[in-house]
Amino acid sequence: MDNNNLQNQNNKPKKKIGFYWVYIILIAFFIGSIVFGNTGSTKTTTMTELSKMLREQDIEKIELVNGKTAEIYLNEQGIRKYFPNERQQSFGKSPNYILKVSEDRLYTKVDEAQQGLANPIEVIPVERHNWGAEVISWVLPLVLIIGFWVLVMRRMGGGSGMGGGQIFSIGKSKATLYDQEKDNKTTFKDVAGLEEAKEEVMEIVDFLKNPTRYTRLGGKIPKGVLLVGPPGTGKTLLAKSVAGEANVPFFSISGSDFVEMFVGVGASRVRDLFKQAKEKSPCIIFIDEIDAIGRARGKNIMSGGNDERESTLNQLLTEMDGFGTNSGVIVLAATNRADILDKALMRAGRFDRQIYVELPDLNGRREIFEVHMRSLKLGNDVDKEFLAKQTPGFSGADIANVCNEAALIAARRNKENIEKQDFLDAIDRIVGGLEKKNSVITQSEKKVIAFHEAGHATTSWMLEHAHPLVKVTIVPRGKALGAAWYLPDERQITTKEQMYHEMIATLGGRAAEQIIFGQISTGALNDLEKVSKQAHAMVMYYGLDETIGNVSYYDSTGQQDYAFTKPFSEKTAEKIDAEVSKLIESAYQEALRILNEHKEGLTQLAEKLIDKEVIFTDDLVAIFGERPWKQEERTFTKKDNA
Ligand code: ADP
Ligand code: ZN
């Protein structure tokens, strides 16, 4: 993901053919055309003028070039007459006049004009090639076409970091090679958390370091390992650290780099990549976003299938089967959707191992903060534990981003050290986008937003299974007008009751508007969308509805397209619709009931919000008292926009 394009640093640097030669040729031709073309003080003239000159005998000679152009050279008398200032200079060297004229007409006119003269001049026909112009007229379009083609090739070749000469290397792999000796080495020290994943890849490091230990007993070293997990969780980092620990070269490429509009290019790139890798063995190939090529084949009914991608995938499979198990090349691939990959990829001898890389938990986040704070100048009040608690649901990449953003904020404030507040601001900024300090909100709008958010906060506080609240703001950020932050459980299974309670809390904002103002606003679109999705999921996917029963219409493979073919009858569809609205309606009624019961607290909370703009758990405790339910250690966050 973060390819610092340290392109082929250890290879002998690719010969750069450069793009400038095209310009150089163009300029050369331009100059050539000037040098070879007609120069000097040549004027055009008319037939009448010419006749006059002939009669008065001012002309030295007339040449008819290629039967089209008459070139007229004056004699001394003529020059004195017509170019009094130029005298000797151009005499006889270049024509003084030219005249475009047809052959026949010129001869007739010349004869006519000189009738009766003692020694008439004759027209001398000459054949002359202007090589410069002629060559240009042939070569220029050619050069332009080639230049254009090169440009297109380079575009398609992508990679601004790549050198020129792309035409010759379109089928070459675009993998970036990191060499452990030269480049900064990534090791397990740089990977925080991910203990289980690290343990698994530790084995691979061992394979690469002491292959004989395993092969001695007849065992086969795995060829492919699939890293599965959400973006930014450190899959690339992990793969890089494996290479770093084993001290082997590391080829990094993204699945989409194989895809090109030309048929066969992807396959040829795969071939080239494996060829390069085998030369450098032992080594690691890392393919990011392998789903770009590894998606299940032949399932794409709508788009008519993608032959190019299929052939690329086939080539990858062939290569993986082809190289001997003990050739020392191990392929690591990353994806966030293992379920849509072609089953053939996961067969024994290919990517038969899968390592799950999850979002970090509290501990993991603290460690990631530690890793990224190593290079920062921190103030005394920075507490990693606290920051880890404030960042539930953040990925490793998000945390790296927080650290960087905090440093920038502190720098902007001209501080010596990065302080706690800088980190908190950075977190807010990353969660919610930029604070809109001066976005225009009227007093009455502010009141509506405050009651809406207070409605969410109150309902979730009063429901045992709803996620407790961490923070509510009515500071507009990004597109949202206000927001409530919750700390959801890290629960692996959710009960019907939990889902129902969450729906009530989500509808709490709208319900509060209804109770206080007697009308509802458009601000709750986001909430409604969420509730509808959840209700649908309960009825259609999780089998949590009594009328519909224990049926799931979920398709975990993601390969069915329900837009056209629903797996249920019209009758069932009607029933589903009815159940969904029943569910939402009863949740809404429940939200109304809770808020009516705690109307006083709701009002206090909203007033506090209008006053302070941000409130935390403590403020809720002050108003409603402690929640009677014990809160377990939770991670993960959820944000609910206005
Ligand atoms: P992925 O490939 O899973 O999308 P990356 O490996 O590219 O994610 O992670 C992006 C960046 O996030 C890394 O360069 C690193 O700075 C940071 N990061 C992610 N996970 C971790 C982690 N577990 N420990 C330390 N840094 C991490
Ligand atoms: Zn809301």
Side-chain angles (χ1 to χ4, degrees):
M1 305 222 88
D2 63 335
N3 288 351
N4 304 325
N5 270 337
L6 295 162
Q7 227 248 307
N8 286 344
Q9 286 216 330
N10 65 315
N11 279 352
K12 59 177 180 319
K14 248 194 200 162
K15 232 203 282 159
K16 290 210 171 188
I17 304 183
F19 190 49
Y20 297 102
W21 60 269
V22 177
Y23 298 118
I24 290 171
I25 290 177
L26 281 178
I27 290 168
F29 274 116
F30 186 65
I31 292 171
S33 77
I34 290 172
V35 170
F36 292 109
N38 287 322
T39 47
S41 53
T42 308
K43 289 186 177 166
T44 48
T45 185
T46 59
M47 203 67 227
T48 335
E49 284 277 314
L50 178 61
S51 302
K52 183 170 162 258
M53 286 179 225
L54 282 167
R55 264 196 310 278
E56 295 171 4
Q57 290 195 302
D58 296 330
I59 289 175
E60 175 81 21
K61 62 174 178 180
I62 300 177
E63 285 180 349
L64 181 62
V65 180
N66 302 339
K68 279 190 293 198
T69 317
E71 294 189 349
I72 300 142
Y73 296 79
L74 298 180
N75 56 21
E76 255 175 276
Q77 172 195 331
I79 286 187
R80 233 177 284 131
K81 206 187 273 178
Y82 296 99
F83 298 94
N85 302 326
E86 260 171 72
R87 286 285 145 93
Q88 303 294 343
Q89 278 170 348
S90 54
F91 175 71
K93 281 195 187 119
S94 60
N96 302 100
Y97 288 108
I98 56 169
L99 175 62
K100 292 245 179 235
V101 67
S102 78
E103 204 169 342
D104 292 344
R105 192 164 128 83
L106 182 68
Y107 280 109
T108 350
K109 285 280 177 187
V110 167
D111 287 346
E112 243 172 52
Q114 298 188 106
Q115 249 167 25
L117 287 181
N119 33 10
I121 330 176
E122 298 223 352
V123 175
I124 312 161
V126 286
E127 285 289 314
R128 200 187 295 155
H129 293 280
N130 184 347
W131 287 110
E134 223 139 284
V135 167
I136 283 180
S137 71
W138 280 97
V139 173
L140 193 68
L142 214 68
V143 169
L144 283 179
I145 289 168
I146 292 176
F148 182 68
W149 188 49
V150 170
L151 203 76
V152 169
M153 286 300 186
R154 284 165 54 91
R155 271 293 149 73
M156 283 190 308
S160 50
M162 303 291 282
Q166 278 282 305
I167 335 169
F168 310 110
S169 62
I170 186 150
K172 293 259 157 57
S173 115
K174 300 201 289 179
T176 313
L177 176 61
Y178 297 87
D179 200 321
Q180 301 307 335
E181 265 105 65
K182 297 224 184 74
D183 304 330
N184 269 346
K185 205 160 148 171
T186 311
T187 62
F188 284 153
K189 275 211 304 296
D190 303 303
V191 188
L194 303 179
E195 293 309 329
E196 291 128 51
K198 260 197 247 177
E199 209 151 287
E200 296 240 14
V201 291
M202 209 84 88
E203 208 184 19
I204 298 170
V205 175
D206 214 31
F207 287 144
L208 287 166
K209 274 185 167 164
N210 317 302
T212 43
R213 179 143 62 127
Y214 298 87
T215 52
R216 191 170 49 106
L217 301 176
K220 280 186 187 143
I221 290 175
K223 289 178 189 172
V225 177
L226 201 58
L227 301 170
V228 187
T233 42
K235 298 183 290 295
T236 315
L237 193 69
L238 196 65
K240 235 187 249 180
S241 72
V242 170
E245 289 285 330
N247 219 349
V248 298
F250 176 77
F251 289 91
S252 170
I253 191 165
S254 168
S256 51
D257 287 344
F258 290 114
V259 185
E260 199 72 76
M261 66 190 260
F262 296 125
V263 175
V265 171
S268 121
R269 285 187 180 160
V270 171
R271 232 174 291 131
D272 187 59
L273 172 65
F274 277 83
K275 199 175 120 233
Q276 281 185 36
K278 271 181 243 171
E279 280 163 13
K280 292 248 175 248
S281 126
C283 70
I284 284 179
I285 297 178
F286 177 67
I287 307 176
D288 205 351
E289 290 166 41
I290 191 163
D291 30 321
I293 46 169
R295 199 169 298 210
R297 284 170 292 186
K299 294 280 165 53
N300 241 347
I301 312 152
M302 291 309 293
S303 64
N306 185 337
D307 287 340
E308 168 57 4
R309 211 194 54 220
E310 271 181 34
S311 69
T312 309
L313 176 58
N314 284 335
Q315 188 61 42
L316 182 65
L317 297 180
T318 317
E319 287 292 343
M320 290 199 70
D321 287 341
F323 65 80
T325 20
N326 303 326
S327 65
V329 179
I330 292 184
V331 187
L332 299 179
T335 176
N336 45 12
R337 298 219 38 202
D339 52 344
I340 59 165
L341 291 184
D342 200 295
K343 294 286 169 286
L345 261 179
M346 261 96 90
R347 252 190 23 214
R350 292 162 182 173
F351 293 99
D352 45 5
R353 293 188 175 212
Q354 294 190 15
I355 296 178
Y356 287 89
V357 183
E358 303 288 352
L359 285 174
D361 58 9
L362 185 69
N363 249 335
R365 291 198 301 274
R366 202 196 54 233
E367 285 173 25
I368 297 173
F369 266 115
E370 262 160 34
V371 166
H372 288 280
M373 281 176 177
R374 270 185 220 151
S375 55
L376 302 180
K377 278 180 87 181
L378 297 178
N380 292 331
D381 63 347
V382 176
D383 177 2
K384 289 163 195 138
E385 189 78 39
F386 172 78
L387 288 175
K389 276 196 184 131
Q390 293 299 311
T391 48
F394 277 42
S395 69
D398 291 333
I399 292 177
N401 199 0
V402 166
C403 290
N404 187 49
E405 195 70 37
L408 296 183
I409 291 174
R412 204 174 307 139
R413 295 173 179 164
N414 279 327
K415 289 189 185 173
E416 286 300 305
N417 298 307
I418 311 167
E419 285 161 1
K420 181 175 163 186
Q421 193 53 46
D422 304 321
F423 277 100
L424 290 179
D425 291 347
I427 291 170
D428 278 1
R429 179 165 180 177
I430 281 160
V431 173
L434 268 184
E435 226 173 78
K436 282 202 222 143
K437 284 237 168 64
N438 43 11
S439 109
V440 187
I441 289 186
T442 62
Q443 208 54 37
S444 63
E445 271 173 343
K446 197 170 172 183
K447 199 170 160 200
V448 174
I449 297 166
F451 270 97
H452 179 104
E453 296 303 332
H456 285 308
T458 310
T459 37
S460 64
W461 195 257
M462 293 303 156
L463 290 162
E464 177 174 2
H465 297 295
H467 303 309
L469 185 122
V470 194
K471 174 177 167 184
V472 188
T473 84
I474 55 167
V475 179
R477 271 174 190 287
K479 272 193 159 167
L481 295 172
W485 274 265
Y486 302 94
L487 274 192
D489 306 281
E490 201 174 2
R491 50 192 178 206
Q492 301 295 336
I493 46 172
T494 312
T495 63
K496 183 177 174 183
E497 207 174 17
Q498 286 166 340
M499 290 184 93
Y500 187 56
H501 281 185
E502 270 164 42
M503 282 171 65
I504 298 173
T506 313
L507 287 166
R510 204 174 159 84
E513 289 181 45
Q514 171 73 47
I515 288 173
I516 304 295
F517 305 104
Q519 58 184 28
I520 39 184
S521 66
T522 56
L525 173 66
N526 210 317
D527 295 344
L528 287 185
E529 185 189 344
K530 203 166 84 189
V531 164
S532 313
K533 276 196 184 135
Q534 192 146 22
H536 265 113
M538 283 173 77
V539 176
M540 285 173 60
Y541 298 158
Y542 298 122
L544 293 177
D545 186 81
E546 273 142 32
T547 320
I548 304 296
N550 296 326
V551 194
S552 177
Y553 299 111
Y554 186 63
D555 170 38
S556 65
T557 56
Q559 284 156 11
Q560 296 297 326
D561 194 354
Y562 285 167
F564 294 97
T565 50
K566 292 201 168 58
F568 41 76
S569 67
E570 281 304 316
K571 224 159 129 196
T572 315
E574 273 170 31
K575 263 201 272 178
I576 289 174
D577 287 344
E579 287 305 304
V580 165
S581 45
K582 209 168 90 189
L583 203 59
I584 295 176
E585 187 50 33
S586 86
Y588 187 60
Q589 290 306 328
E590 183 63 17
L592 285 176
R593 190 191 62 74
I594 294 172
L595 291 178
N596 270 319
E597 195 178 310
H598 298 278
K599 202 167 168 181
E600 203 176 309
L602 171 74
T603 317
Q604 279 182 34
L605 197 59
E607 272 157 12
K608 209 166 203 171
L609 254 178
I610 294 172
D611 186 34
K612 296 208 307 191
E613 297 206 331
V614 186
I615 55 172
F616 295 92
T617 320
D618 303 341
D619 300 294
L620 277 124
V621 175
I623 293 170
F624 297 111
E626 284 286 351
R627 290 179 95 198
W629 311 286
K630 192 177 125 279
Q631 186 181 337
E632 297 160 49
E633 170 59 33
R634 296 147 193 268
T635 49
F636 238 93
T637 199
K638 217 171 60 177
K639 203 185 106 207
D640 167 44
N641 290 340

